Amino acid sequence: MLKKGLLVLIIAVLVAGGAFAQKSFSSMAKNTVTVDVAPTIAGFVAGPLGSKAAGLVTDNISDIKSSGFSIAAQYERQIIKQLSVAVRGVYGMPEVKFSYVDSGVTGNPDLNMTSIAGEGHVRFYPLGETFFLDGMVGYALLSTDLSGKVAYLGQATNATAKESSNYFKYGLKTGWRMSFGNNGGFTFEPSIGYYMGIPLGDALGKKVSASLSKQFAGNKVPGIEEAFSVLETFAFIGGPRLSLAFGYRF
């Protein structure tokens, strides 16, 4: 079944590429608007990936699970036949839960997060209009609202932490822009890549850890900073990226 699916995708790419190859730049559709559903899907698979990553960076966190809603929209403008520029906005409202092991901490507080990002893209189409290489730079804001009962070192409190951090992000991806009309029309755009982020100031995990420390007489709650580092690195700011975008080219 998988082989048949890959064969259909390859044929679609070849057909789309062959149809576009004959068009001159003056006559080709130059605008593309897409909506990406992959960020929502990624939110549900980030949990298993995050759990494995958590085990590598800290002994205090045993499990990280995430769910929620996320969506991205993009506008692309063709500059020449082999080059385009694009702007992309991403908005997400993930919910995260993590579990402690052997750290003296009990409780699983609610962790609601908000992720907002703006990206600029430059795309190179070496064969014309279908296969592309994409470079990205952008800005992201990641914020959290943590609340719930937590017990640590014999002290129980209704812990709260509302913090946010800014990030510079960059990355690369590759994919296919396939339109199913005579010149543009309905467009499907799958792509894969990898993004990275650099905190502009203190990372979110460091801020949340400092906020909780104040609520426990200056004692640092173990695992908090490391758990947020996993979320930043592999889920909401950086990490592997899968895009399944649908839209219209005109």
Side-chain angles (χ1 to χ4, degrees), residues 1-164:
M1 190 69 181
L2 178 59
K3 291 182 178 179
K4 290 182 180 179
L6 291 174
L7 180 61
V8 170
L9 179 59
I10 292 172
I11 293 174
V13 171
L14 292 175
V15 170
F20 294 144
Q22 304 302 318
K23 292 184 176 66
S24 65
F25 175 69
S26 61
S27 63
M28 70 183 290
K30 298 179 178 63
N31 304 283
T32 306
V33 178
T34 56
V35 174
D36 186 4
V37 299
T40 296
I41 299 172
F44 290 96
V45 301
L49 294 176
S51 297
K52 292 181 179 180
L56 298 176
V57 300
T58 177
D59 295 328
N60 298 305
I61 303 297
S62 64
D63 191 29
I64 299 179
K65 295 180 180 179
S66 64
S67 62
F69 170 80
S70 182
I71 194 168
Q74 177 174 290
Y75 169 72
E76 179 186 4
R77 173 69 179 181
Q78 208 75 27
I79 303 301
I80 59 175
K81 192 169 185 179
Q82 284 78 29
L83 190 70
S84 74
V85 294
V87 292
R88 187 172 188 262
V90 186
Y91 178 76
M93 295 180 64
E95 296 181 0
V96 180
K97 288 186 178 296
F98 51 87
S99 301
Y100 280 95
V101 290
D102 301 327
S103 62
V105 182
T106 58
N108 292 291
D110 293 330
L111 184 59
N112 298 314
M113 302 182 72
T114 301
S115 175
I116 302 173
E119 302 171 357
H121 294 254
V122 176
R123 287 186 171 184
F124 175 56
Y125 293 84
L127 303 177
E129 302 179 42
T130 307
F131 173 73
F132 64 82
L133 302 172
D134 183 305
M136 180 278 297
V137 294
Y139 161 83
L141 172 67
L142 187 61
S143 59
T144 185
D145 184 355
L146 180 151
S147 63
K149 291 183 177 180
V150 177
Y152 178 50
L153 298 178
Q155 177 186 355
T157 185
N158 188 19
T160 60
K162 293 185 178 181
E163 302 289 346
S164 62

Side-chain angles (χ1 to χ4, degrees), residues 189-204:
E189 187 182 287
S191 64
I192 56 174
Y194 196 91
Y195 287 177
M196 299 181 72
I198 301 174
L200 301 175
D202 289 338
L204 187 60

